[in-house]
Amino acid sequence: MTAQPHRITVIPGDGVGPEVVRSAQRIIAAAGVAIDWEEAEAGAEVFRRGDTSGVPRATRESIERTRVVLKGPLETPVGFGEKSANVTLRKLFETYANVRPARELPGVPTRYAGEGVDMIIVRENIEDLYAGIEHMQTPDVGQCLKVISRKGSEKIIRYAFELARREGRRKVTCATKANIMKLTEGLFKRVFEELAGEYPEIAPEHLIIDNVAHQMAKNPAQFDVVVTTNLNGDIISDLASGLVGGLGFAPSGNYGDDVAIFEAVHGSAPKYAGKDVINPTALILSSLMMLRHVGESGAADRIEDAVLVTLEEGRAVTQDLARQTGGDVEHAASTTGFTDSIIANLGKQPTTVPPRAGTERPSGPAAPRPRWSYGPEVAAAVPRTTVGVDVFLETWEPVAAAGPALEALAGDALRLQMISSRGTMVWPSTGLKPDAVGLLRARYVARAEGAAASDADISALVARIGERYAWTHLEKLHVFAGADGFTKAQGQ
Ligand code: NAD
């Protein structure tokens, strides 16, 4: 029993949301954890009332007060042009760490049952291609910026190591595509390698993300904690959920510096809404992450054991699981009945899998301490030179003609170093003949070896190019502390 009730915002959500949220609330109350729930609204009904954010001010204010949210799924209405209220909530409170445990559960049949799958995927949740910065470069060529910062990487990687330490886990795998994207995924990998030394009891490992997918299908039990960038994490966290039973069993926590939001991975499953048939396990497991976050690890462990016992017994089986096991779907347990069974099993321990109670793990949010300083002074202290510029331009002109024309436009201070099409050098000719898409990149560098390219030189160049070509965007070529801040083209 806690002396002071915890204040937590609860958003019942849409579709089956209220049913699964209610199930978790009943179990938490039965376990004796005192919570002062602040019920708040978000999602479909809010959109219908004309609030295009889907998250009313009262809800935001409640979250600012309580800093902890238990949330049912929110429907994103199609046809209103609104942004997803889920994404809005994550962005509003900058919940940068998306944590998705995938643990084998007794009584839930999978191809890997018995292998002891028990991993936690820690996905960076703000940056990467999901920053949503997209531009059409021509009517037919789109571009999405992949933004990875050292600070964003440090926060999520430290989060993963702190989580591993708290949970007594032995290995953290960093999953990237650093072999191809050396300056973005590569930065993430470098930060991982630099931080790993601070956690000597945890084995660090780096794997290329495609190999992670392969290994997860072959031998998922080898993974412990996996930390990764946003897009990689989106894909492999769903893969990991699939390994242990799918949507009905997949919990998640979204952690920020100030606010944490706990929710099932699944959506509002509208066709089951109000029927008392949905499987509440995913939301219950999410609520256990919430209890651990607020320092109620003991209660979370007891409830988790009761969930494991209920699944192990196989007496109360929800429709989805009955379908998977070839059981009696007609007489499957209702959401309420399944919840009652868990409550009845509080205090029992599972026998076919290790119990959680008694494992003595410290709880509470990770307290990531930054290793590096960030800010304008720190950035300004890094020696830098602008050595040139990449000018992207819309043209279908053959490079045999565009090359000399763009070279002639270079001027006295700069020279045309190369032209590439979709990253492959096409001028001077390397013999490669990539298909043209109507967008070229012309790379200009200072004529004098190692000299700087001034803004005035670049502006004059762009003005000259603009008289003949439709340029679409520019990228300066920086050298930071002696290291090239740009990559070479394929074939360069
Ligand atoms: P969904 O997850 O709601 O449902 C897909 C199917 O999975 C269901 O029909 C059901 O068969 C099964 N399923 C899902 N949860 C289950 C559970 N707990 N127990 C048993 N079976 C379960 O996905 P969807 O149909 O693509 O999306 C419906 C709505 O939910 C959409 O409006 C979508 O935008 C929203 N959504 C919200 C979230 C969120 O709030 N985080 C996540 C995903 C989808």
Side-chain angles (χ1 to χ4, degrees):
M1 277 279 191
T2 36
Q4 273 284 8
H6 302 279
R7 296 199 86 183
I8 293 177
T9 301
V10 60
I11 302 175
D14 300 319
V16 298
E19 295 163 63
V20 292
V21 165
R22 203 74 67 228
S23 161
Q25 286 180 301
R26 281 184 57 214
I27 295 169
I28 291 170
V33 184
I35 296 183
D36 196 352
W37 299 100
E38 284 194 13
E39 190 155 324
E41 258 192 316
E45 189 48 41
V46 181
F47 284 121
R48 254 174 239 127
R49 285 205 308 266
D51 180 334
T52 51
S53 74
V55 185
R57 179 199 285 255
T59 301
R60 296 176 200 198
E61 286 170 356
S62 170
I63 297 172
E64 273 158 21
R65 266 194 308 276
T66 65
R67 296 164 166 227
V68 184
V69 185
L70 182 64
K71 177 187 148 307
L74 305 179
E75 196 182 306
T76 305
V78 182
F80 292 83
E82 289 88 354
K83 295 256 182 196
S84 149
N86 295 302
V87 177
T88 301
L89 274 171
R90 283 176 216 149
K91 296 232 169 193
L92 271 176
F93 297 102
E94 189 146 337
T95 53
Y96 64 86
N98 178 249
V99 178
R100 300 244 317 242
R103 185 169 180 232
E104 178 181 332
L105 294 164
V108 181
T110 71
R111 288 166 197 272
Y112 304 95
E115 292 185 17
V117 175
D118 179 10
M119 69 178 101
I120 306 179
I121 311 290
V122 179
R123 162 189 172 194
E124 201 289 322
N125 216 12
I126 303 288
E127 306 196 330
D128 198 357
L129 295 161
Y130 288 50
I133 310 169
E134 292 195 292
H135 299 92
M136 292 307 292
Q137 296 298 309
T138 76
D140 300 312
V141 182
Q143 175 190 282
C144 178
L145 280 190
K146 182 173 170 85
V147 181
I148 303 277
S149 72
R150 173 177 281 273
K151 188 177 186 182
S153 303
E154 175 175 9
K155 282 172 80 169
I156 192 70
I157 291 165
R158 194 173 280 292
Y159 192 94
F161 275 116
E162 292 285 334
L163 175 70
R165 177 171 273 177
R166 244 185 6 259
E167 288 268 318
R169 289 180 175 259
R170 299 209 180 87
K171 184 169 75 167
V172 177
T173 304
C174 174
T176 75
K177 197 71 190 173
N179 52 332
I180 304 293
M181 289 168 272
K182 295 182 164 48
L183 300 183
T184 49
E185 295 276 310
L187 175 60
F188 195 85
K189 175 173 181 271
R190 284 195 297 282
V191 171
F192 175 78
E193 287 161 351
E194 287 176 54
L195 290 178
E198 293 181 33
Y199 300 86
E201 78 279 23
I202 298 164
E205 167 185 67
H206 175 266
L207 293 180
I208 300 293
I209 185 67
D210 37 328
N211 188 25
V212 170
H214 176 231
Q215 296 292 332
M216 274 193 185
K218 268 181 74 172
N219 174 20
Q222 69 182 288
F223 292 104
D224 203 342
V225 173
V226 181
V227 64
T228 189
T229 50
N230 207 339
L231 176 61
N232 294 336
D234 192 2
I235 299 165
I236 61 163
S237 57
D238 261 37
L239 169 50
S241 308
L243 301 172
V244 294
L247 284 179
F249 299 94
S252 80
N254 297 285
Y255 301 84
D257 287 332
D258 299 317
V259 166
I261 303 172
F262 300 88
E263 60 183 333
V265 169
H266 65 74
S268 59
K271 71 177 172 194
Y272 296 118
K275 297 195 173 141
D276 199 23
V277 294
I278 203 80
N279 181 356
T281 307
L283 203 277
I284 295 168
L285 295 177
S286 310
S287 78
L288 303 187
M289 297 173 78
M290 177 196 80
L291 290 181
R292 294 188 174 108
H293 179 74
V294 300
E296 293 282 359
S297 267
D301 288 349
R302 269 186 293 122
I303 297 174
E304 189 160 351
D305 282 344
V307 173
L308 296 173
V309 170
T310 307
L311 293 170
E312 206 171 51
E313 289 175 346
R315 282 202 286 270
V317 174
T318 46
Q319 269 189 11
D320 57 322
L321 190 51
R323 223 170 271 123
Q324 280 180 48
T325 53
D328 185 356
V329 178
E330 281 281 295
H331 299 98
S334 64
T335 309
T336 317
F338 183 71
T339 307
D340 291 340
S341 297
I342 294 172
I343 292 171
N345 282 328
L346 282 169
K348 296 186 193 157
Q349 293 210 327
T351 53
T352 59
V353 291
R356 295 288 269 177
T359 52
E360 295 300 326
R361 297 171 317 281
S363 62
R369 299 167 310 280
R371 172 191 174 110
W372 293 282
S373 308
Y374 302 96
E377 300 81 14
V378 180
V382 176
R384 67 187 65 202
T385 319
T386 303
V387 296
V389 64
D390 279 350
V391 182
F392 291 75
L393 44 103
E394 181 182 357
T395 180
W396 289 94
E397 195 177 24
V399 278
L406 286 163
E407 192 173 33
L409 295 167
D412 297 335
L414 303 170
R415 68 180 172 86
L416 178 67
Q417 188 183 52
M418 63 100 189
I419 300 173
S420 74
S421 169
R422 290 185 293 177
T424 300
M425 186 160 110
V426 290
W427 189 92
S429 173
T430 55
L432 299 170
K433 291 198 169 27
D435 208 2
V437 295
L439 182 72
L440 292 177
R441 166 182 59 166
R443 172 165 291 180
Y444 293 89
V445 294
R447 278 194 187 276
E449 194 61 39
S454 70
D455 280 359
D457 293 337
I458 292 173
S459 300
L461 169 72
V462 172
R464 284 194 299 275
I465 291 176
E467 285 175 17
R468 173 148 183 197
Y469 293 99
W471 62 271
T472 68
H473 85 265
L474 307 175
E475 291 288 348
K476 278 184 167 178
L477 307 179
H478 297 292
V479 173
F480 292 116
D484 284 356
F486 51 91
T487 53
K488 289 193 163 76
Q490 198 76 34
Q492 194 184 352

